């Protein structure tokens, strides 16, 4: 493949994790080798229905900035695709680089994008809470969307305008109407594979759904992400950049595609 992932993971500052996760056979992120992905005609279209009024707040958790949603009922859900059940939206967040040459967690044919969006959903049909779902093999479904440098993204701008208010770790602001559907590419095509959280506890509970087409954002919008801080108020400032985990081994997994 395209890198020495094991060593990089062990040495990567953000993830002082052991060289491998004990028994880790489905870790994320991975490189998606387009020609090795297998078209699965039984994959259904992914159905997404988000209620913009379920949006609650934006906060900086010291890893990324998250937009959190009210997941106390089935109001913002996804169903179909590779999923057996419907899954509830809990939050979305991003990963990005210090420069535009890297930043995404997944790669396609070893190509990095400057950033990657993760929309995090949990299986509320089978599990009573997100915390329990995180520990189960089919507990979570995360939609990954690549960001590429291009035209300004008007929908993203409302988020970007709020970032100065959550510059420091553990700051939060109310954010009460936002439709995350505006951050999805119009093309329905995706890859899917069985993986894990990409931050501790790295639990192997995620069905990944990676959209084939990126969305476009402009340089100023990416730069706005890079003005955030890992550090809290009063601490020495540490810019929030390169908050992506190194690539993990594919091991005995196949990436399926919803398209020929
Ligand atoms: N980059 S990603 O793979 O999309 C990813 C998605 C969600 C989380 C997360 O919810 N972490 C906090 C968190 C946990 F890691 C738990 F294990 C738990 F039980 C929680 F309740 C919880 F909020 C971490 C990484
Ligand atoms: Zn993520």
């Amino acid at each position: 493949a395209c890198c020495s992932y094991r060593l990089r993971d062990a040495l990567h500052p953000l993830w002082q994790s052991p060289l491998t996760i004990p028994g880790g056979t489905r870790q994320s992120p991975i490189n998606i080798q387009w020609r090795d992905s297998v078209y699965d005609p039984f994959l259904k279209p992914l159905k997404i229905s988000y209620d913009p009024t379920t949006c609650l707040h934006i906060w900086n958790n010291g890893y990324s900035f998250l937009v959190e949603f009210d997941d106390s009922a089935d109001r913002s859900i996804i169903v179909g695709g590779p999923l057996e059940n419907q899954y509830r939206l809990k939050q979305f967040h991003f990963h990005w680089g210090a420069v535009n040459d890297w930043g995404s967690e997944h790669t396609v044919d070893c190509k990095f994008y400057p950033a990657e969006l993760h929309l995090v959903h949990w299986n509320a049909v089978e599990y009573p809470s997100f915390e329990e779902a995180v520990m189960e093999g089919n507990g979570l479904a995360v939609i990954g969307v690549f960001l590429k440098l291009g035209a300004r993204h008007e929908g993203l701008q409302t988020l970007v305008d709020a970032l100065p208010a959550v510059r420091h770790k553990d700051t939060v602001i109310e954010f009460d109407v936002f439709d995350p559907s505006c951050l999805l590419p119009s093309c329905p095509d995706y890859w899917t594979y069985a993986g894990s959280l990409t931050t501790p506890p790295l639990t192997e509970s995620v069905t990944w759904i990676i959209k084939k087409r990126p969305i476009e954002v402009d340089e100023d919008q990416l730069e706005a992400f890079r003005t955030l801080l890992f550090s809290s108020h009063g601490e020495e400032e540490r810019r929030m950049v390169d908050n992506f985990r190194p690539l993990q081994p594919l091991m005995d997994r196949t990436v399926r595609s919803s398209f020929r």
Side-chain angles (χ1 to χ4, degrees):
C2 44
C3 50
S4 58
Y5 26 70
R6 321 286 283 200
L7 188 59
R8 285 173 55 191
D9 201 7
L11 303 177
H12 197 278
L14 215 49
W15 282 276
Q16 302 301 343
S17 61
L19 193 57
T20 60
I21 304 307
T25 58
R26 50 175 281 193
Q27 289 291 293
S28 293
I30 59 169
N31 173 57
I32 296 169
Q33 203 62 32
W34 195 311
R35 67 181 175 298
D36 293 346
S37 61
V38 177
Y39 169 59
D40 179 349
F42 296 102
L43 282 173
K44 303 186 192 73
L46 191 61
K47 283 173 59 189
I48 295 167
S49 43
Y50 294 148
D51 172 350
T53 65
T54 55
C55 191
L56 293 172
H57 50 254
I58 305 180
W59 69 293
N60 176 332
N61 71 348
Y63 279 117
S64 179
F65 69 93
L66 288 82
V67 180
E68 292 211 292
F69 289 78
D70 168 12
D71 61 351
S72 59
D74 287 335
R75 292 169 61 194
S76 287
I77 57 156
I78 59 171
V79 68
L83 305 172
E84 298 295 316
N85 299 119
Q86 71 176 26
Y87 286 64
R88 265 184 212 167
L89 176 67
K90 175 157 180 62
Q91 53 105 327
F92 68 82
H93 63 274
F94 297 81
H95 303 261
W96 60 91
V99 293
N100 297 335
D101 306 318
W102 60 75
S104 59
E105 296 217 291
H106 293 87
T107 55
V108 179
D109 296 344
C110 295
K111 168 195 157 79
F112 283 94
Y113 285 88
E116 184 173 331
L117 160 65
H118 289 158
L119 293 140
V120 181
H121 311 75
W122 60 283
N123 181 345
V125 171
E126 294 191 21
Y127 307 112
S129 70
F130 176 77
E131 287 72 9
E132 306 221 10
V134 168
M135 311 312 282
E136 303 292 337
N138 66 342
L140 302 184
V142 181
I143 298 177
V145 180
F146 294 118
L147 276 63
K148 72 176 255 200
L149 197 56
R152 176 183 155 106
H153 193 295
E154 289 312 327
L156 184 71
Q157 194 54 36
T158 51
L159 270 184
V160 166
D161 291 339
L163 294 185
V166 290
R167 185 156 183 262
H168 292 88
K169 178 173 185 286
D170 295 331
T171 50
V172 59
I173 56 154
E174 191 183 329
F175 198 67
D176 41 17
V177 179
F178 185 79
D179 179 1
S181 312
C182 78
L183 299 174
L184 295 168
S186 51
C187 176
D189 296 347
Y190 61 86
W191 290 284
T192 183
Y193 78 97
S196 73
L197 296 181
T198 64
T199 60
L202 305 170
T203 44
E204 298 184 331
S205 53
V206 181
T207 299
W208 281 95
I209 299 167
I210 307 288
K211 301 294 283 185
K212 181 181 80 174
R213 289 275 174 252
I215 58 170
E216 289 192 21
V217 299
D218 72 12
E219 178 64 37
D220 292 342
Q221 294 177 314
L222 284 171
E223 273 305 318
F225 287 14
R226 300 177 184 130
T227 64
L228 294 171
L229 300 175
F230 284 126
S231 43
S232 307
H233 263 297
E235 281 180 357
E236 181 210 353
E237 294 201 344
R238 283 173 292 119
R239 290 170 62 232
M240 184 179 276
V241 293
D242 297 336
N243 56 354
F244 58 93
R245 187 190 190 192
L247 291 170
Q248 301 299 307
L250 184 61
M251 302 184 88
D252 182 24
R253 290 181 283 183
T254 301
V255 177
R256 290 181 289 162
S257 65
S258 70
F259 57 94
R260 277 194 181 287

